[in-house]
Amino acid sequence: MSSTRHGRAPRRGRASTSDPNSPSRACGQRPQGVRLGFDGRVDQTTRRPSDQPDLSPDDLAGAIAPLGLRVVGSTPTGWEAEADGDRFLVTYVPATQDAPWDVLRDRVTRLMSVEHEHLAPLLAAAPVQGRDAQHPRGAALVWERPGMRLDELVERTGLALGHVVGALVAAGRAIAALHAHDLAAGPGDLLAALRVGEDGNVRHLPDGGLTSRPASEDPQSRGEAVRALARAGHGLLARAVTPDGAARDLAHLLAATGLDPQTEPPAKFLEPTQVARLAAEIKRRSRGAVEERDANVHQKSSSACRRKR
């Protein structure tokens, strides 16, 4: 399982594989998705990825070298790799007891076939060899650089209600796309998986779900995905938005999805896109209320001016 661009290195907008049992595809130009309206450039760092201590730089370099890639730096959750002047994000997903190599390989191959404006494009994948050559210890995944983590960006710039809703809509659509391909969004912090690119587009980095059982194997995972979406929304509201009527409405909506891990969300909220749709409706109503208020203020001001004359 490995993918290359033009037979040598992964390129933006194209993913292919040398494994005859895996599909090849050309992504083409991707549609534009929800944008937050601010810059999400990634800061280059040289720190060792904090959540992948069992993978050395030499292990990673050996895995991605056949793809024509070389490691040039690291971030807290992955590595920066370079090929022919292009930069890519590389992450590592280990095989586990619940997701042994054959299962992991199948999910990675499936994810590579998914094209969605709010999912970070997976361009390439390569096995990371372990002691057993027939059963690699995990997969190195090569992504189009998705941008800065949304939760880190919030700490720097702050968000308005429209930004929060935009992020929820993007995340809801991304999770729904994963479910449609029998993939899980993962049990971790969804907010940490949301990235903002330089173009302001919000994308979900879905590597965290590759070791989780999808809804076909675990029906409760669909409800967990909705709860994760609600938790992400609550986190953004708490950190970024000054409370007002619309923000309170959104908080009530998210609470209604069943934030308690022991509680199954109501049936009407079992689809992430339904939560996203209702969040967008709250934003639409709040915008209409503001426009109506501004119109009333303008009308009163005009009337006052006429009386003065």
Side-chain angles (χ1 to χ4, degrees), residues 13-213:
R14 181 174 177 83
S16 60
T17 174
S18 60
D19 186 338
N21 297 317
S22 300
S24 300
R25 68 176 176 90
C27 298
Q29 186 173 1
R30 293 180 179 273
Q32 301 301 317
V34 173
R35 298 172 184 277
L36 293 195
F38 47 64
D39 194 323
R41 277 192 284 262
V42 177
D43 294 331
Q44 174 98 18
T45 72
T46 55
R47 291 176 290 176
R48 181 183 181 89
S50 56
D51 63 346
Q52 297 166 3
D54 62 329
L55 188 64
S56 71
D58 289 342
D59 292 335
L60 178 72
I64 65 176
L67 301 175
L69 289 164
R70 64 185 183 90
V71 179
V72 295
S74 65
T75 71
T77 56
W79 294 266
E80 291 274 323
E82 186 270 340
D84 297 336
D86 288 333
R87 292 290 182 96
F88 305 90
L89 171 68
V90 180
T91 62
Y92 169 67
V93 177
T96 65
Q97 184 175 356
D98 291 333
W101 170 248
D102 290 345
V103 172
L104 178 61
R105 180 180 57 189
D106 175 67
R107 290 175 183 170
V108 169
T109 303
R110 215 177 317 144
L111 178 59
M112 205 177 282
S113 71
V114 182
E115 184 178 349
H116 192 273
E117 66 269 27
H118 294 305
L119 285 173
L122 177 58
L123 303 179
V128 178
Q129 297 298 336
R131 296 178 180 177
D132 183 353
Q134 298 300 316
H135 297 87
R137 56 195 281 201
L141 308 179
V142 183
W143 310 84
E144 184 176 300
R145 294 172 73 187
M148 178 181 285
R149 281 175 45 162
L150 178 59
D151 54 355
E152 294 179 355
L153 194 59
V154 170
E155 296 175 1
R156 301 187 184 191
T157 64
L159 299 178
L161 177 66
H163 295 144
V164 174
V165 172
L168 287 175
V169 169
R173 291 174 179 171
I175 294 172
L178 292 173
H179 287 176
H181 289 80
D182 200 28
L183 293 165
D189 182 5
L190 176 61
L191 192 54
L194 295 180
R195 308 298 180 96
V196 183
E198 294 183 22
D199 59 357
N201 195 20
V202 183
R203 293 184 178 92
H204 175 49
L205 187 68
D207 56 340
L210 289 170
T211 55
S212 299
R213 291 189 297 168

Side-chain angles (χ1 to χ4, degrees), residues 219-238:
Q220 293 184 346
S221 67
R222 191 176 295 272
E224 175 52 35
V226 171
R227 285 191 292 269
L229 184 63
R231 287 194 297 269
H234 267 286
L236 289 173
L237 282 173

Side-chain angles (χ1 to χ4, degrees), residues 172 176 179 222 226 229 266-276:
H179 287 176
R222 191 176 295 272
V226 171
L229 184 63
K268 65 178 179 178
F269 291 131
L270 276 178
E271 291 296 332
T273 49
Q274 180 64 11
V275 179

